[in-house]
Amino acid sequence: MRRHLLSGADLTREDALLVLDTAAELRALADRPIKKLPTLRGRTVVNLFFEDSTRTRISFEAAAKRLSADVINFSAKGSSVSKGESLKDTALTLEAMGADAVVIRHSASGAPHRLATSGWVRSCVINAGDGTHEHPTQALLDAFTMRRHLGDLDGRRVTIVGDVLHSRVARSNALLLSTLGADVTLVAPPTLLPVGVEAWPVHTSYDLDTELDKSDVVMMLRVQRERMNAAFFPSAREYSRRYGLDERRFARLPDHAIVMHPGPMNRGMEISANVADSTRSVIVEQVTNGVAVRMAVLYLLLSGPDTRLDDEPAGQEVEK
Amino acid sequence: MTDYLLTGARPLGGEPTDLLLRDGRIAEPADAGKKVVRVDADGLVALPGLVDLHTHLREPGREDAETVLTGSRAAAAGGFTAVHAMANTDPVADTAGVVEQVWHLGQMAGYVDVRPVGAVTAGLGGSILAELGAMADSAAGVRVFSDDGKCVSDAVLMRRALEYVKAFDGVVAQHAQEPRLTEDAQMNEGTVSGVLGMRGWPAVAEEAIIARDVLLAAHVGSRLHVCHVSTAGSVELIRWAKSKGWEVTAEVTPHHLLLTDDLVATYDPIYKVNPPLRTAADVEALRAALADGTIDCVATDHAPHPTEDKECEWAAAAMGMLGLETALSVVQHTMVDAGLLDWAGVADRMSVRPARIGRVGDHGRGLGAGAPANLVLVDPTASRTIDPADSASLSRNTPYTGMTLPGAVVATFLRGRPTVLDGKLC
C-alpha cells in the first residue's frame, strides 16, 4: 500500500481487498463487549479538521481509540487557524508534537495532497474529505457495506445519484468501485455532472427511472438546497421529482437491491423518509462499518515498518 | 560615454558581423575608434532589446513581492529593454500621479524603460473611467490602458474606453474573463478539473469577451489588444477579427506556450495562474498562432508573489508566476528549436510588434545603423537548469524550477549602456 491515503485511485485492487478483508475481521469486534485492541498503543493519530464534520471525526476517533492509539482532535474553530495560521505552520506544529498519522478534513480540494507531498510532515496522511475532490474512506466503507450484502462486487451495478459535481463521495466511489470491478452509473441533471466526466471509468445518465430496475445498489448523494440559487436546478421540489428516491421509484428496484446514503440526509429532498427507514436501507449500517474500515486503514498504514522513525521523505511509496 | 564594439554577433541569427554602439545608437563598425570596449559576441545572436507589454512590478503597494528596481533588474537579465508596468498596484495606477511615480522609479532604476500602464476604470472598480487623458498627457506618456487582473466586463464602459483613447492614440488591453462564468474559478475547466474537484475556468469565459470586444472595436474603429490569450478558440476569434481588417492585436505568455493543466494534479500552487494553464491542444494552437502572426507578441505576465502566498493550499494561493528571466528561453524552446519561428521572428514577436502596440518609440527599431542601441546578445547554444535562487526578482515563484531550458542572455544594452554583461547584471 502507499504511505498515504489521499484518493480512491491510490488503492490497487489488491490494496482495496486487503483493507476490506482486514475491516471484516475488525468488524467482528464491534459485536464484542470489549471493543479494544492494543495494536496501535503509543501511536498518535491527529484528527485535523478544518471543516465541521462531527460524523467523520467521531468515526476516525472511535477507530483510532479501538486500536489504542492516542487521539488528538484539532479543529480549526477555536484553534490558531482561526487566527490566520497557515496550513504549513499547523502541519509543522503537528510534526513537532510527533503525530504518526494525520487525518485531515479541509474545504480546499487537494489540501491533504499538499500536506503529504510538501515535506512539512513525516506522518501518514489520510484524506477525510477535501473540498469537492475525494473522500476515500467513505468509498471504502461503502464498498465494504456492499460486499456484506452482495458479495463480490465484480459486475455489480451501482447507481450513484445526485450532486456529482460537488461530491467527494462520488469521485472516490467512482474510482474505487471501478477498481473493484463494479459497473458504476452516475445519475444527475446535466448541470451537476462535471465537465470531462466522460473520461471517468463510469457510465452517466440524466434519467434515474431508466437505471432503477438494473441496479444492485442505489446510492443517493446529499444535495444542498442552496444549489438552486446558483441555477443548478430550478427548485428543491423539481429536483426531488426528477431525482429523488421516493416509494414509487423504490418499488421498481430489484428485490435484492440496497439503498445507501453517505449522510447527512435531506429527508424529503433526495430520499423520502420511508425509503431511508426501509429494511433495504443500509444507511445506519454504513456508519458502523465506517469505524471498522477506518480501523483497517489506520492499522495498515501505521503497523508496518516504523513509519515514524524511517527517513523516507513524505510522499514516497513505502512497501508494507 | 563608452563605445562598445560587439564582434562577430549574428543580427537576428544571420551572418556574423560587428556592431558598434556609440552615443546610444548603433553606428557603422568602421567608425570604431581605439578607445572602444570590445565585446566578444562570436556565435551570439543579436536581437533588438525585448519589450514586454505585460509586467507586474508590484510597486507601489507590494514591495515585499517586487519593486520597480528588482523587477527592472529581472527584466534586463531576461534581455528586456522596456517593460509595461501593470496598473493593479496599491494604490492603483489610475491617476497621473501614480503613473508618474512608477515612471520616475523606472528612470531611477535605469535598467529598462518602465512604461506604466494606466487603469481603464477608477480603482479597477469597473464602474467609471479613470482619468485616461491625464495619464496620457503625464510625463509617463501612457498609451496602454488595462484593468488587468480584472476584466472590463461592462459592455458600455468597454465601448467608451475604446472610443476615448483614440484621442491620444491609446490602446485598451483587455483581460478577457467573463466574471460570472469564472466565480471562484481555480483552474481550466476540463477533464483535469473534474477529477481534481476544482472549480473550472472555462475557455468560453475568455472567448465570449474576446468575441464581444473585437466587435466593439470594429464598431467604434478603435485599437484593441487582448492580454494573455490562452485558448484555441480565442485564436480562432482573433484570426477572424484580423481577417476583417480590424485593429486587433494579441499576446501570449511563455507559460501558456509550454505548460498544461495536468500539472495542477500536483496541487502545487506554483502552477496557479490567471488565465489558467490549458490543454495540450490549446498550447499547440497558441504556438501556431504566434508562428503565423495571429498572435502578435509574447508578453510575460510576470507576476511575483512572496513565498507565503504560494506555500499553502491551492485555493488559498495567489495567482501568477514569474516570467521575465525565462521568457526568451521558453520561446527558444517552444518556437525556435521546434522550427516554428526563426530569430528574426523572435525579434518581431518580442520586440518590434510589442513596441509598436505600446507606441514605445525607441524600442523595437531593429539593428541597423542609426537605430537606438537597445539590444540583447543571446547564446542559443547555452542551456541552463532553472533555479529560483538565481532570480534577480524579489520573488521565487517560477514554475520552471528544475527544468533545463535552452539559451542564455549574455548581454543587454539600453541606449548603448550595458545593463547585463557576461551574463551578469551591471
Side-chain angles (χ1 to χ4, degrees):
Chain A
M1 270 180 69
R2 289 179 183 231
R3 184 177 158 71
H4 308 289
L5 179 58
L6 306 174
S7 160
D10 288 346
L11 298 167
T12 62
R13 186 182 168 90
E14 290 68 36
D15 292 338
L17 291 173
L18 176 63
V19 174
L20 297 174
D21 291 341
T22 307
E25 291 174 38
L26 294 166
R27 173 72 163 74
L29 270 182
D31 301 325
R32 288 196 214 151
I34 295 172
K35 298 180 168 61
K36 205 155 174 154
L37 287 177
T39 318
L40 296 183
R41 185 177 291 154
R43 298 307 194 93
T44 301
V45 175
V46 174
N47 283 325
L48 180 57
F49 275 58
F50 291 88
E51 202 181 59
D52 282 334
S53 173
T54 312
R55 306 164 62 95
T56 304
R57 185 182 58 73
I58 287 176
S59 181
F60 269 106
E61 187 171 352
K65 285 182 170 167
R66 283 183 196 174
L67 293 170
S68 304
D70 295 320
V71 179
I72 299 172
N73 285 313
F74 188 109
S75 111
K77 284 191 175 165
S79 75
S80 49
V81 172
S82 54
K83 295 173 195 156
E85 184 174 88
S86 70
L87 179 64
K88 178 180 180 178
D89 287 322
T90 304
L92 294 176
T93 303
L94 299 181
E95 174 69 13
M97 285 197 266
D100 295 292
V102 177
V103 176
I104 176 175
R105 160 71 64 104
H106 202 289
S107 59
S109 298
H113 195 278
R114 196 88 178 107
L115 194 64
T117 58
S118 56
W120 301 332
V121 293
R122 284 176 292 165
S123 348
C124 302
V125 175
I126 300 169
N127 181 1
D130 61 328
T132 53
H133 179 222
E134 287 212 39
H135 194 356
T137 59
Q138 177 72 43
L140 282 166
L141 77 87
D142 290 337
F144 181 85
T145 306
M146 290 176 208
R147 280 178 105 214
R148 275 174 65 91
H149 290 269
L150 302 168
D152 192 353
L153 296 186
D154 256 320
R156 288 293 189 178
R157 291 170 180 270
V158 180
T159 303
I160 301 176
V161 189
D163 186 356
V164 176
L165 179 63
H166 301 97
S167 176
R168 45 198 176 205
V169 177
R171 279 177 183 73
S172 288
N173 265 304
L175 291 165
L176 180 71
L177 294 175
S178 57
T179 298
L180 291 171
D183 188 356
V184 179
T185 301
L186 304 176
V187 179
T191 47
L192 291 176
L193 284 174
V195 168
V197 73
E198 56 281 358
W200 296 17
V202 297
H203 307 286
T204 57
S205 169
Y206 305 141
D207 185 357
L208 177 55
D209 290 309
T210 58
E211 304 301 323
L212 290 171
D213 54 7
K214 53 191 176 193
S215 298
D216 298 305
V217 178
V218 179
M219 183 187 299
M220 305 307 295
L221 301 172
R222 177 178 172 79
V223 177
Q224 293 178 14
R225 287 167 198 275
E226 310 85 75
R227 299 282 179 220
M228 70 186 221
N229 298 328
F232 286 107
F233 48 84
S235 70
R237 288 316 316 156
E238 170 150 333
Y239 180 86
S240 191
R241 271 196 298 275
R242 292 179 67 86
Y243 295 98
L245 189 60
D246 56 16
E247 282 90 312
R248 179 181 63 81
R249 290 199 171 105
F250 181 66
R252 295 185 45 203
L253 290 172
D255 291 340
H256 67 275
I258 56 171
V259 174
M260 306 181 73
H261 194 297
M265 287 181 280
N266 289 307
R267 288 174 182 247
M269 174 96 174
E270 69 266 7
I271 190 165
S272 76
N274 288 341
V275 174
D277 297 332
S278 79
T279 52
R280 280 153 61 202
S281 157
V282 296
I283 295 168
V284 177
E285 187 196 324
Q286 285 175 266
V287 178
T288 311
N289 295 342
V291 177
V293 160
R294 285 163 182 138
M295 287 172 77
V297 168
L298 287 168
Y299 170 77
L300 291 168
L301 289 181
L302 285 178
S303 66
D306 191 337
T307 44
R308 176 72 202 168
L309 295 178
D310 73 36
D311 287 318
E312 293 287 341
Q316 291 214 346
E317 292 183 38
V318 175
E319 292 298 322
K320 295 280 181 201
Chain B
M1 193 171 173
T2 312
D3 294 355
Y4 288 87
L5 185 67
L6 318 181
T7 58
R10 296 163 49 209
L12 312 185
E15 290 305 307
T17 184
D18 295 349
L19 291 168
L20 178 64
L21 314 184
R22 168 177 288 170
D23 297 332
R25 297 201 167 263
I26 296 172
E28 292 295 346
D31 298 343
K34 284 186 178 165
K35 285 178 65 184
V36 72
V37 174
R38 300 173 75 89
V39 174
D40 179 10
D42 189 35
L44 305 185
V45 172
L47 302 173
L50 308 182
V51 177
D52 192 10
L53 269 176
H54 196 140
T55 316
H56 295 276
L57 294 179
R58 302 291 187 224
E59 188 177 7
R62 284 308 298 267
E63 293 83 355
D64 59 328
E66 195 80 288
T67 66
V68 172
L69 175 61
T70 59
S72 293
R73 286 169 60 86
F80 290 88
T81 52
V83 299
H84 288 75
M86 272 298 169
N88 62 340
T89 48
D90 181 15
V92 172
D94 59 357
T95 63
V98 177
V99 294
E100 283 192 355
Q101 183 200 3
V102 172
W103 175 77
H104 184 67
L105 286 168
Q107 296 279 303
M108 299 283 286
Y111 281 92
V112 291
D113 284 343
V114 173
R115 300 270 303 177
V117 173
V120 175
T121 67
L124 306 179
S127 56
I128 57 169
L129 286 183
E131 289 193 349
L132 308 179
M135 290 188 276
D137 294 342
S138 73
V142 175
R143 290 295 177 271
V144 181
F145 298 89
S146 181
D147 275 3
D148 179 63
K150 291 185 176 175
C151 180
V152 181
S153 61
D154 182 310
V156 173
L157 204 58
M158 186 62 186
R159 174 204 166 135
R160 299 288 182 237
L162 287 166
E163 287 177 305
Y164 193 81
V165 299
K166 284 201 285 185
F168 33 84
D169 196 24
V171 63
V172 177
Q174 175 71 294
H175 172 116
Q177 177 180 2
E178 211 292 312
R180 284 280 285 149
L181 283 170
T182 52
E183 282 173 11
D184 199 28
Q186 299 293 321
M187 65 171 297
N188 178 49
E189 183 167 79
T191 310
V192 182
S193 67
V195 170
L196 297 183
M198 297 265 221
R199 190 78 70 88
W201 197 132
V204 61
E206 174 172 305
E207 294 154 6
I209 293 292
I210 294 174
R212 181 200 75 178
D213 285 355
V214 298
L215 293 168
L216 281 174
H219 181 61
V220 299
S222 296
R223 287 206 288 149
L224 168 73
H225 179 71
V226 185
C227 296
H228 42 52
V229 168
S230 71
T231 77
S234 298
V235 167
E236 287 306 303
L237 289 161
I238 292 160
R239 189 171 281 136
W240 172 73
K242 286 191 165 185
S243 76
K244 297 280 193 181
W246 301 339
E247 279 197 277
V248 174
T249 57
E251 69 190 32
V252 62
T253 70
H255 48 271
H256 287 115
L257 290 172
L258 181 58
L259 308 177
T260 52
D261 67 346
D262 44 337
L263 289 166
V264 181
T266 62
Y267 286 106
D268 187 340
I270 203 76
Y271 301 115
K272 187 173 179 181
V273 64
N274 193 24
L277 301 178
R278 303 288 187 184
T279 67
D282 293 304
V283 166
E284 195 180 346
L286 293 167
R287 290 182 184 182
L290 184 64
D292 72 20
T294 301
I295 292 177
D296 300 81
C297 60
V298 175
T300 65
D301 198 3
H302 177 82
H305 289 291
T307 303
E308 62 271 23
D309 288 349
K310 287 290 188 182
E311 210 172 45
C312 54
E313 55 274 31
W314 182 280
M319 293 188 269
M321 40 183 70
L322 299 185
L324 286 169
E325 291 165 273
T326 45
L328 190 54
S329 287
V330 172
V331 169
Q332 183 183 339
H333 174 59
T334 59
M335 304 297 294
V336 181
D337 294 354
L340 292 169
L341 209 58
D342 58 13
W343 286 106
V346 173
D348 182 66
R349 307 298 196 272
M350 297 189 77
S351 177
V352 177
R353 290 220 229 175
R356 198 184 297 149
I357 293 164
R359 301 293 193 247
V360 193
D362 277 355
H363 296 264
R365 298 269 297 276
L367 298 170
N374 298 317
L375 69 144
V376 54
L377 296 175
V378 187
D379 179 1
T381 63
S383 82
R384 56 195 178 122
T385 301
I386 306 301
D387 179 351
D390 297 339
S391 179
S393 168
L394 211 49
S395 291
R396 295 289 174 263
N397 55 307
T398 173
Y400 308 113
T401 300
M403 288 179 69
T404 300
L405 292 173
V409 170
V410 176
T412 310
F413 289 88
L414 176 64
R415 279 183 288 281
R417 188 178 57 77
T419 53
V420 174
L421 212 51
D422 293 331
K424 294 184 180 63
L425 282 159
C426 299

